[in-house]
């Protein structure tokens, strides 16, 4: 997050308030500190409240979340109750209706008590189309400054397009509300689909500042498991980042072998032994500095892979179809061109089979 970093710099990050529920003292200075030129997006902690309802204290929890987010965030997700934490028989979030009612109350509290210094994104939830529409109709009265897509339908692009058309028709996707965030997605496939939607919306709305973002913990999660990103594996049958497990034990400390991939600037300088520092309390794996170096590498490798993936799908179809899977090319094109048609949703639906293939390949991409 430091612009002076000679290896890799990123100006955006997502952090979760759910890790600090009840904490009142400011966070220590670190990666997720606000600074000039960076944007720190905080999730609100709704997932953690939903998973442990005993921590939910009504207005006291709302007040804590709002105060915490306004202290630490540039942008923030509103305090929702995710539909996936609903547990019948377990109060207070035992049904869709109670989850939605609590979310609406949270939004009302935020709208009434906010100071105005943070851009808030209102969450769109729902595990079925009917529930998603009901949720949208309830929360749109507090539109805030953008929208966050949660729930399993956030990667159903026919549903996403339908919701975007509702936002446009209701006048709720304007330059004052031109941020869209998709929670917890990060594969090459979803990256190019969201890029296509962003380009299409910018052209249709005449707003070059409209921005779609998404978040993934894969770079740090892989490092924790001793894995690194390699290069994008893009062929007519594959559209995913490669992963590998390099030597990482203290016995490899004298290896003068180059790091197995050079898909990041920091990896170009590394030897295998550089990361394998022995420690009395650690039997295997990288030490703290080694772990952070690998996280840095994984972030840059993933973003380079996303750039490569976007470059390929944006080629003329005669070329891109020879380099990437057919269903990726056709789904991307449907989203990219949807506003060229009188009925954008009908146009996207004609490619439903390709979007179904995308949803079914989700597990494979996450390996």
């Amino acid at each position: 997050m430091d612009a002076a970093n000679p290896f890799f710099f990123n100006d955006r990050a997502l952090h979760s308030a759910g890790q600090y529920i009840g904490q009142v003292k400011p966070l220590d200075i670190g990666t997720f500190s606000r600074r000039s030129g960076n944007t720190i997006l905080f999730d609100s902690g709704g997932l953690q409240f939903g998973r442990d309802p005993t921590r939910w204290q009504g207005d006291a929890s709302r007040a804590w979340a709002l105060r915490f987010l306004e202290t630490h965030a540039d942008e923030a997700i509103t305090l929702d109750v995710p539909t996936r934490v609903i547990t019948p028989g377990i109060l207070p979030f035992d049904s869709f209706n109670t989850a939605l009612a609590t979310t609406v109350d949270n939004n009302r509290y935020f709208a009434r008590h906010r100071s105005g210094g943070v851009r808030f994104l209102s969450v769109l939830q729902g595990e079925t189309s009917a529930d998603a529409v009901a949720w949208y109709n309830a929360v749109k009265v507090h539109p805030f400054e953008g929208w966050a897509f949660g729930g399993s339908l956030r990667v159903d692009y026919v549903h996403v397009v339908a919701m975007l058309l509702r936002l446009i028709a209701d006048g709720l996707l304007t330059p004052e509300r031109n941020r869209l965030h998709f929670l917890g997605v990060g594969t090459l496939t979803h990256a190019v689909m969201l890029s296509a939607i962003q380009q299409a919306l910018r052209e249709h709305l005449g707003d070059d500042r409209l921005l779609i973002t998404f978040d993934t913990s894969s770079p740090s999660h892989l490092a924790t498991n001793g894995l690194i990103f390699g290069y994008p594996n893009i062929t007519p049958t594959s559209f995913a980042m490669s992963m590998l497990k390099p030597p990482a034990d203290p016995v490899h400390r004298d290896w003068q072998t180059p790091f197995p991939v050079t898909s990041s600037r920091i990896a170009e300088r590394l030897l295998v032994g550089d990361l394998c520092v022995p420690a009395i309390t650690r039997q295997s794996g990288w030490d703290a500095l080694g772990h952070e170096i690998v996280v840095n590498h994984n972030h840059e490798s993933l973003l380079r892979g996303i750039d490569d993936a976007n470059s390929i799908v944006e080629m003329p179809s005669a070329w891109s179809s020879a380099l990437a899977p057919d269903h990726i090319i056709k789904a991307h094109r449907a989203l990219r061109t949807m506003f060229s048609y009188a009925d954008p949703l009908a146009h996207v639906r004609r490619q439903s089979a390709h979007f179904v293939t995308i949803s079914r390949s989700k597990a494979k991409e996450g390996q």
Side-chain angles (χ1 to χ4, degrees):
M1 303 296 291
D2 179 2
N5 190 319
F7 297 110
F8 167 66
F9 165 67
N10 190 38
D11 65 354
R12 288 181 175 270
L14 177 139
H15 201 21
S16 177
Q19 299 183 42
Y20 308 100
I21 290 176
Q23 179 172 317
V24 294
K25 68 175 184 178
L27 299 183
D28 293 335
I29 301 298
T31 298
F32 298 100
S33 299
R34 287 193 296 191
R35 67 192 86 184
S36 177
N38 286 359
T39 299
I40 304 297
L41 171 64
F42 260 87
D43 202 350
S44 62
L47 178 65
Q48 288 74 21
F49 280 121
R51 285 176 170 170
D52 185 2
T54 62
R55 306 176 78 177
W56 178 249
Q57 303 297 322
D59 275 355
S61 295
R62 296 181 181 106
W64 172 84
L66 179 59
R67 183 169 56 251
F68 182 92
L69 295 172
E70 291 194 324
T71 300
H72 298 103
D74 298 299
E75 300 179 352
I77 309 297
T78 53
L79 184 57
D80 67 316
V81 180
T83 48
R84 64 188 173 114
V85 304
I86 295 169
T87 306
I90 304 297
L91 297 174
F93 313 126
D94 60 339
S95 69
F96 174 83
N97 288 336
T98 57
L100 177 54
T102 302
T103 300
V104 171
D105 286 343
N106 296 346
N107 286 359
R108 185 180 297 115
Y109 185 96
F110 274 35
R112 183 180 300 139
H113 296 284
R114 64 182 300 191
S115 67
V118 174
R119 178 193 289 267
F120 281 105
L121 311 183
S122 186
V123 186
L124 300 177
Q125 289 278 358
E127 301 303 309
T128 68
S129 293
D131 282 351
V133 171
W135 187 288
Y136 168 73
N137 286 332
V139 302
K140 69 180 182 181
V141 297
H142 298 112
F144 296 102
E145 292 81 46
W147 307 92
F149 282 75
S152 59
L153 292 178
R154 74 193 187 287
V155 292
D156 178 337
Y157 291 103
V158 175
H159 168 78
V160 168
V161 169
M163 296 305 294
L164 291 174
L165 292 173
R166 287 179 182 273
L167 287 168
I168 293 171
D170 289 341
L172 298 177
L173 197 57
T174 63
E176 297 77 27
R177 302 184 177 100
N178 62 356
R179 291 291 188 274
L180 297 166
H181 186 79
F182 287 75
L183 290 157
V185 300
T187 64
L188 299 188
T189 296
H190 294 308
V192 300
M193 297 304 149
L194 295 176
S195 291
I197 293 173
Q198 176 178 272
Q199 290 173 307
L201 285 172
R202 284 179 171 180
E203 291 178 1
H204 180 67
L205 298 173
D207 182 4
D208 288 339
R209 298 180 67 85
L210 181 143
L211 185 66
I212 293 179
T213 56
F214 54 90
D215 66 273
T216 176
S217 61
S218 293
S220 53
H221 182 71
L222 289 177
T224 300
N225 291 297
L227 296 171
I228 62 173
F229 275 130
Y231 305 95
N233 184 17
I234 300 176
T235 71
T237 59
S238 175
F239 203 78
M241 291 295 295
S242 63
M243 303 176 196
L244 62 154
K245 190 177 182 69
D249 294 319
V251 296
H252 302 117
R253 61 183 175 180
D254 295 323
W255 281 30
Q256 299 300 299
T257 308
F259 205 59
V261 296
T262 54
S263 53
S264 70
R265 292 190 178 185
I266 201 165
E268 293 173 349
R269 309 282 189 91
L270 289 175
L271 302 175
V272 169
D274 291 336
L275 301 182
C276 303
V277 180
I280 295 175
T281 58
R282 181 174 49 83
Q283 299 301 314
S284 62
W286 300 300
D287 64 358
L289 176 59
H291 175 83
E292 295 303 331
I293 289 173
V294 172
V295 171
N296 184 287
H297 160 81
N298 282 347
H299 272 96
E300 183 175 1
S301 293
L302 177 59
L303 291 183
R304 285 191 178 198
I306 289 171
D307 282 345
D308 288 350
N310 273 311
S311 296
I312 288 173
V313 296
E314 290 168 6
M315 289 179 177
S317 57
W319 294 343
S320 60
S321 59
L323 300 172
D326 184 65
H327 70 279
I328 299 290
I329 300 301
K330 289 182 177 177
H332 176 274
R333 184 137 309 168
L335 295 172
R336 181 68 182 84
T337 62
M338 59 184 169
F339 291 114
S340 300
Y341 294 80
D343 188 338
L345 185 57
H347 171 63
V348 171
R349 278 179 173 154
R350 282 192 284 272
Q351 304 298 329
S352 290
H354 300 305
F355 290 115
V356 169
T357 302
I358 288 173
S359 65
R360 288 176 177 172
S361 64
K362 180 181 177 183
K364 181 179 179 181
E365 287 190 286
Q367 289 177 356

